[in-house]
Amino acid sequence: MITGKVKFVVVGLGHIGKRHAQMIMDNPDAELCAVCDTRSPEETGWSNKNVPYFYEFKEMLDHLHDCHVVNICTPNGLHAEQATEALDRKKHVVVEKPMALSRSQGEKIIYKALQVSRHVFTVMQNRYSPPSVWLKEVMEEKLLGHIFFVQLNCFWNRDDRYYLNKGWHGTRELDGGTLFTQFSHFIDMLYWLFGDIDDIKAGFNDFAHQHSTDFEDSGAVLFNFVNGGMGNINFSTAVWDKNLESTMTIIGEKGTIKVSGQYMNDVVECHIKDYEMPDLPASNPPNDYGSYKGSAANHHFVIDNVIQTLRERTYVSTNALEGLKVVDIIERIYQHR
């Protein structure tokens, strides 16, 4: 058990990596020991000269024997290798979404974590938003009865402002695909709320990104839930100019729920037998990247969960097995490419 400040390092200083670093610096129970990126501080926009800056991941690990946690915020295709390397040095690991780009890579992470008795935290920040917390309670209390049908719509804008001159974005090797980079946290919501899926059918197309990505920008997926009921996912990053919505509609035996907004931040329909919906706290705003917006800014909850878990006051809110299941589901969907 860690009793003093929990010491973190952050690898990868893109928008999300810098947010991790800021959340660590803002938490009085945490200490940011170092950051790492292959680019220069000028290129990444990192200006804090009080925090050691490394260019090589393994060199940083060699110099920082007393750090407790490695936060991996690098391109998707590097997550598995770097997580395994950090675990091999007996560090706890926080891995940004997605945990890996294949089930086999994810299994190696879990095997290594068990071998060295260290925690792996996977970042699925949508779980912390008030509508998500409420939805989880509704599902655990079985207020909707049997689930009949679930529809997930994710319609975002990711145009040349996002993909061009971004290096790894859009590449099959480091990005992996639209479901991995853009919408894996929504796949996580499906799994978290309703369980695993099977009987998958899917179709994909690349309408607006043939010049900028190695993969689809739109798709439709149909499936059954292992626990009963059916569902579909419709997604696209070909929406013009700005995000349209992320919407989940749930039709159950005893009621209907619809959660909508740019990042599923508004409950727009709740009609359940003998139930009155409580007032929910306001959701956090989306991560703002200038020309485009991402999911809800909930990373401070992730950092706090790491600290409280390592102090043995709580448990991992999104564990490695759950992160692996999200990768597994996406990989099975992509088998229909």
Side-chain angles (χ1 to χ4, degrees), residues 156-159 163 178 182-183 209 217-218 235-239:
W156 282 11
N157 162 264
R158 290 292 183 266
D159 54 25
Y163 281 113
T178 301
Q182 308 303 332
F183 301 131
H209 298 84
D217 63 18
S218 304
F235 70 92
S236 181
T237 54
V239 178

Side-chain angles (χ1 to χ4, degrees), residues 35-50:
V35 294
C36 180
D37 199 292
T38 56
R39 300 167 295 171
S40 69
E42 292 74 25
E43 289 175 293
T44 61
W46 182 261
S47 58
N48 190 331
K49 299 187 183 303
N50 296 320

Side-chain angles (χ1 to χ4, degrees), residues 286-315:
N287 287 305
D288 192 334
Y289 305 122
S291 60
Y292 65 94
K293 288 181 170 59
S295 56
N298 289 329
H299 284 85
H300 59 290
F301 292 119
V302 177
I303 301 302
D304 186 64
N305 179 247
V306 173
I307 293 168
Q308 300 308 323
T309 299
L310 298 185
R311 290 182 169 180
E312 298 182 359
R313 295 175 182 171
T314 188
Y315 55 88

Side-chain angles (χ1 to χ4, degrees), residues 163-176:
Y163 281 113
L164 294 187
N165 302 315
K166 292 287 184 178
W168 65 275
H169 285 300
T171 65
R172 184 71 70 104
E173 181 183 6
L174 291 179
D175 187 317

Side-chain angles (χ1 to χ4, degrees), residues 20-89:
H20 276 247
Q22 189 60 55
M23 295 301 101
I24 292 164
M25 291 188 289
D26 289 346
N27 193 308
D29 295 320
E31 178 183 346
L32 183 62
C33 296
V35 294
C36 180
D37 199 292
T38 56
R39 300 167 295 171
S40 69
E42 292 74 25
E43 289 175 293
T44 61
W46 182 261
S47 58
N48 190 331
K49 299 187 183 303
N50 296 320
V51 178
Y53 194 105
F54 290 85
Y55 290 89
E56 295 291 337
F57 179 53
K58 292 182 180 180
E59 180 188 1
M60 181 186 69
L61 293 178
D62 288 338
H63 281 81
L64 297 170
H65 300 293
D66 62 342
C67 81
H68 303 121
V69 185
V70 176
N71 287 35
I72 297 171
C73 309
T74 50
N76 303 343
L78 303 178
H79 289 180
E81 179 184 350
Q82 291 177 333
T84 305
E85 177 70 25
L87 289 165
D88 204 40
R89 307 291 187 96

